[in-house]
Amino acid sequence: MDDPAWPAVSSLLDRVRTATALEVDPERGRRVLFSLQVTARSYLGALALNTGGILADHGWFRLLGGGSDHLDDVASVNNLDGRRGTHQPPPFLLVGFDALGGRFAIDGGGLGVAAGEVCYFGPDTLSWGGLGGGHADFVTAAISGALSQTFAPLRWSGWQDEVAALRADQGLSIYPPPFSREGQDIAAASRRAVPVRELVYFYDEAARQLGAPSA
């Protein structure tokens, strides 16, 4: 592949101490890349082929790639395994999670933001909103720390140590929840480690009950 994206991502990782690329089994990475039907010229393909995922900003961001221990691959998360050539592109493509169970997805037309834009479903809003760029922009910003100000309202003093202690498939359950009036001060809330899948289900169910748009 001419002009692959991985050298640019790898160079960025080499310059940042708060992000780590997880190892991936080469054969699994190739299968995931094939399921995605993209090339290694894209950042999406580069992460699938060369990493098991990336833990960025002390592990706050979990960027999906080819899959590793405790972090699913981007194809299986989006139910793309074995679906080559038989379906239309998905309405959105999940590409990452954060430490509170928030989700990142590329809008394929189903999120109502903008096709190709990476959107965020937050535990404080229970709705999707655009981050203002595509997947390459998102990966670069997450690794470099450029999203720190955007996510500052969801962070607290000492969050780095709490988040770094989590496994890649774990997140912090906040009580009272961030979408409630009582839970807006996360520093004063109760926090405990739970599976990310549990958080995703909880926030989707909360959005459904409250009539907020959810995935």
Side-chain angles (χ1 to χ4, degrees):
M1 170 59 63
D2 294 333
D3 194 26
W6 176 242
V9 179
S10 179
S11 177
L12 180 59
L13 287 167
D14 288 341
R15 300 194 304 269
V16 177
R17 295 185 178 182
T18 57
T20 303
L22 304 176
E23 293 186 5
V24 64
D25 175 76
E27 179 57 31
R28 182 178 182 182
R30 287 190 289 269
R31 289 198 305 268
V32 173
L33 181 67
F34 187 66
S35 296
L36 291 172
Q37 292 292 284
V38 298
T39 73
R41 184 178 289 117
S42 67
Y43 274 48
L44 185 63
L47 265 61
L49 186 61
N50 297 280
T51 79
I54 293 177
L55 305 181
D57 205 353
H58 303 278
W60 183 275
F61 302 107
R62 294 89 183 272
L63 313 182
L64 300 180
S68 64
D69 291 343
H70 306 304
L71 191 63
D72 290 334
D73 66 79
V74 65
S76 62
V77 165
N78 290 282
N79 298 315
L80 298 178
D81 313 62
R83 293 174 54 175
R84 175 178 54 87
T86 60
H87 292 74
Q88 295 295 321
F92 60 88
L93 189 77
L94 289 170
V95 293
F97 301 88
D98 69 17
L100 300 187
R103 280 163 283 169
F104 301 92
I106 301 172
D107 188 3
L111 300 181
V113 178
E117 183 169 345
V118 171
C119 304
Y120 177 64
F121 182 89
D124 55 336
T125 63
L126 302 182
S127 63
W128 290 100
L131 293 180
H135 185 253
D137 298 317
F138 165 62
V139 170
T140 301
I143 294 175
S144 68
L147 290 174
S148 296
Q149 185 173 357
T150 301
F151 285 85
L154 291 173
R155 294 175 172 179
W156 59 97
S157 177
W159 66 267
Q160 296 92 333
D161 291 336
E162 286 188 53
V163 169
L166 298 171
R167 290 199 319 249
D169 60 351
Q170 291 180 317
L172 290 172
S173 174
I174 309 297
Y175 186 81
F179 59 81
S180 67
R181 182 173 59 185
E182 298 81 2
Q184 292 180 2
D185 183 3
I186 295 181
S190 171
R191 301 181 296 274
R192 65 185 180 92
V194 299
V196 169
R197 291 176 182 270
E198 182 177 314
L199 292 175
V200 168
Y201 176 81
F202 172 74
Y203 290 124
D204 269 352
E205 185 64 15
R208 185 187 67 79
Q209 293 184 14
L210 295 174
S214 68

